[in-house]
Amino acid sequence: MAVHILFVEDNILLRRSLAFNLENAGYRVTTAATAEDALDYARRDPPDLVLLDIGLPGMDGLDALPHFRDQVGAPVIFLTGRRRQLDEALGLELGADDYIVKPFDENVLLARIKAVLRRASRAAAANNVLARAPLVVGDLSIDPAAHTVRLSGQAVALSPREFALLHALALEAGRVVSVNDLLTRVWGAEYEGQPQVVYVNIRWLREKLEENPNKPKRIITVRGVGYRLQAEAAV
Ligand code: CA
């Protein structure tokens, strides 16, 4: 499948000509004239990479970057017409994946796009391996590839949500994970419901994993912060 690039640029001539050239280079291209439209498109049809002009009417590229980060998760290359804007962007340390100053040589831009996509796919592959490796926390073992959980060798049946929640805690075993982090990791960055879903699923997990769910020894509540999964202390 063609790599999908979302190109956000208010200058119609540049938008058309670069979109045309990107398509000729084999990419699938969605264009937007404003960051607001682009975020809307990105939610419906997530891009693999965002080319983001900084000087835009409405929300500018600098303000839009964190939204692309949180909601889309794709790498972002900033385009800027002014050196001053570039300095500002660099000064803010927003962490775009690359920067290009207009006017640019399109071959240079294409090479930069390839480099950013390569880096992003290497990082994703590394994350994927980490995320799928089996985890052992005391007598609890969690195998994300097989989607199984064993407690002292006995299989425990969990719902997909319970499994994802336990896995998120196990990735940070021994450390506190905040309720907000759990919401983002398990329910997604766009989840806008109540944090109660975390408490409820923690309770269900405890009922399945704790000897006494009212006095948990594995999934520990850290008041006002979140939860910590720990190997049950030997008695
Ligand atoms: Ca512009």
Side-chain angles (χ1 to χ4, degrees):
M1 229 168 57
V3 170
H4 180 204
I5 294 181
L6 176 57
F7 176 31
V8 195
E9 167 63 65
D10 57 321
N11 179 317
I12 187 165
L13 291 178
L14 178 57
R15 196 166 70 235
R16 285 191 181 157
S17 76
L18 183 59
F20 179 78
N21 289 329
L22 288 169
E23 279 170 357
N24 275 345
Y27 296 108
R28 180 162 73 86
V29 183
T30 301
T31 59
T34 66
E36 289 85 346
D37 281 351
L39 282 164
D40 194 31
Y41 300 157
R43 276 191 283 267
R44 281 182 269 154
D45 183 9
D48 300 297
L49 181 138
V50 182
L51 276 181
L52 182 58
D53 186 27
I54 294 182
L56 292 168
M59 185 193 288
D60 72 13
L62 299 179
D63 290 334
L65 179 70
H67 295 280
F68 282 107
R69 269 284 139 74
D70 293 350
Q71 293 173 24
V72 187
V76 174
I77 298 179
F78 268 142
L79 298 178
T80 170
R82 295 193 218 109
R83 191 71 222 180
R84 194 175 56 75
Q85 268 180 345
L86 177 64
D87 291 343
E88 190 187 346
L90 292 171
L92 288 171
E93 293 181 0
L94 291 170
D97 296 85
D98 206 347
Y99 303 84
I100 302 258
V101 180
K102 298 180 218 173
F104 47 80
D105 178 332
E106 292 202 351
N107 289 321
V108 171
L109 177 63
L110 287 172
R112 300 275 193 93
I113 288 173
K114 273 193 189 149
V116 166
L117 286 169
R118 242 192 335 263
R119 277 205 303 273
S121 78
R122 268 203 301 266
N127 270 337
N128 207 14
V129 167
L130 265 183
R132 291 176 70 79
L135 299 167
V136 176
V137 182
D139 52 4
L140 196 61
S141 68
I142 299 150
D143 186 344
H147 223 267
T148 55
V149 172
R150 287 178 180 279
L151 183 59
S152 305
Q154 297 279 62
V156 183
L158 299 181
S159 74
R161 267 311 182 218
E162 292 164 356
F163 184 90
L165 186 57
L166 182 62
H167 185 239
L169 288 167
L171 282 170
E172 308 282 337
R175 290 192 292 269
V176 188
V177 187
S178 73
V179 170
N180 266 339
D181 266 5
L182 290 170
L183 275 174
T184 306
R185 291 185 201 187
V186 178
W187 279 267
E190 283 187 74
Y191 180 77
E192 279 170 7
Q194 296 296 312
Q196 266 75 1
V197 293
V198 176
Y199 316 142
V200 170
N201 279 274
I202 289 278
R203 199 175 69 223
W204 290 337
L205 271 179
R206 281 174 172 161
E207 281 167 7
K208 293 178 178 179
L209 301 175
E210 302 279 0
E211 205 164 310
N212 179 353
N214 295 321
K215 289 187 179 157
K217 291 179 177 165
R218 301 170 199 283
I219 303 174
I220 309 299
T221 302
V222 182
R223 291 249 171 263
V225 187
Y227 298 93
R228 182 178 73 235
L229 179 68
Q230 64 184 36
E232 190 181 4
V235 186

